[in-house]
Amino acid sequence: MKLDSGLYVVATPIGNLGDISRRALEVLAAADLVAAEDTRTTRNLLAKFNIDNQVLAYHDHSDARAGRRILDCVTGGGVVALVSDAGTPLISDPGYRLVRDAQEAGLVVFPVPGPCAAVAALSASGLPTDRFLFEGFLPGKATARQGRLAELAQRPETLVFYEAPHRVLECLADMVEAFGAEREALLARELTKAFETLRRAPLADLQTFVAADSNQQRGEIVLVVAGQRDRVETIDADSARLLRRLAQELPPKRAAAVVADLTGLRKKQLYDFLLQQD
């Protein structure tokens, strides 16, 4: 198969090999070079599909020569496939610098979409998906982790985290402290693999569940946490005065929109406030 020259960002399975796309296989087979986060992992994947291709290590600790070799290959009309250990490259994996450098050099970057643990967990979470915030891995040190969770406690979006198995109990305990014991969350472990776990429950219940079963402290883990949807914002006196004055000249929805733009308060909250006025 003949491919256009460029850097192809190729998603690979997060567990079940049946999730690899036909297009991903075609790109991996046709590439002049496969740039991999871990060459051993990628060579094992290629071997399972009878693909014998040149593999180059490219990760956070790669020196400039690795990136230069990749860009030189594409500049010369070649095809490079960028892959991570599993899932979609650049999602909590190295690679964005390479993509940016390729674009700045005028080279074409092609996404080859496919599996992503964060999206897979979110899709099966039963939690709101209209807005979500992907946080990736929280800080490993307790103080920094607790500080970040405190910053996120009032966010209304559904929150998506990756977590290392040896820290999952500590992380859940910190989430209970920051978000409250009753905040709903999903534990997604070993997605698409033989011992997959999907369990949605209040955070305190998830903490108890994981503590009682050491198997839940192994493998790849995604935590999906409900946002603070019932957050109450107060309307200060100055904003309320401005809102009432504008409502004398404008329709309520328009007045609410103007004040929302000026103050950062939610338009619906301002509109509801107006409707409650005598």
Side-chain angles (χ1 to χ4, degrees):
M1 177 182 180
K2 179 63 175 175
L3 297 176
D4 292 335
S5 174
L7 176 64
Y8 289 73
V9 183
V10 183
T12 56
I14 57 178
N16 191 318
L17 293 181
D19 292 335
I20 196 165
S21 71
R22 184 172 68 178
R23 183 179 176 216
L25 290 175
E26 290 172 347
V27 171
L28 291 172
D32 299 291
L33 185 64
V34 177
E37 183 181 5
D38 186 320
T39 57
R40 293 167 300 178
T41 300
T42 297
R43 284 195 177 101
N44 287 338
L45 173 68
L46 296 178
K48 290 182 186 298
F49 292 100
N50 299 313
I51 297 173
D52 183 13
N53 220 328
Q54 186 177 5
V55 180
L56 169 73
Y58 184 81
H59 46 71
D60 278 337
H61 306 293
S62 295
D63 58 27
R65 288 176 298 177
R68 186 70 261 161
R69 181 178 172 187
I70 292 168
L71 296 182
D72 285 347
C73 179
V74 179
T75 301
V79 170
V80 176
L82 175 67
V83 299
S84 64
D85 282 354
T88 301
L90 282 67
I91 308 301
S92 274
D93 283 312
Y96 84 91
R97 294 182 186 88
L98 180 64
V99 169
R100 183 183 60 196
D101 290 345
Q103 292 169 337
E104 290 178 352
L107 304 175
V108 182
V109 178
F110 299 96
V112 183
C116 173
V119 174
L122 182 66
S123 71
S125 68
L127 296 173
T129 58
D130 54 333
R131 290 185 295 166
F132 65 92
L133 176 64
F134 176 64
E135 274 290 305
F137 285 95
L138 287 163
K141 294 186 177 180
T143 300
R145 181 173 61 246
Q146 292 160 5
R148 181 55 184 157
L149 289 172
E151 293 173 354
L152 295 169
Q154 299 302 314
R155 293 295 296 257
E157 306 96 335
T158 296
L159 307 171
V160 184
F161 305 89
Y162 288 164
E163 191 50 272
H166 66 277
R167 284 199 304 263
V168 66
L169 266 180
E170 296 175 19
C171 181
L172 285 169
D174 290 340
M175 287 181 171
V176 168
E177 182 66 25
F179 300 148
E182 296 303 314
R183 182 81 71 92
E184 198 172 27
L186 173 86
L187 170 73
R189 189 185 69 89
E190 292 290 87
L191 287 171
T192 78
K193 300 176 185 176
F195 299 103
E196 178 181 84
T197 298
L198 287 166
R199 187 179 184 93
R200 179 165 52 86
L203 277 168
D205 292 354
L206 281 184
Q207 182 185 9
T208 300
F209 170 68
V210 172
D213 184 356
S214 61
N215 288 324
Q216 302 305 323
Q217 300 168 44
R218 299 173 182 170
E220 303 292 331
I221 295 171
V222 185
L223 294 169
V224 185
V225 182
Q228 179 62 280
R229 289 299 179 106
D230 58 352
R231 177 164 59 105
V232 176
E233 295 169 328
T234 59
I235 299 177
D236 60 274
D238 288 341
S239 296
R241 189 178 306 110
L242 174 61
L243 182 61
R244 293 193 190 96
R245 180 65 186 89
L246 285 174
Q248 295 175 5
E249 308 293 335
L250 299 171
K253 286 187 178 180
R254 179 59 183 156
V258 171
V259 176
D261 185 57
L262 292 172
T263 65
L265 293 168
R266 291 183 299 119
K267 182 170 67 174
K268 184 178 186 306
Q269 180 193 17
L270 294 165
Y271 178 69
D272 290 344
F273 175 82
L274 277 179
L275 295 183
Q276 293 168 7
Q277 304 304 297
D278 294 330

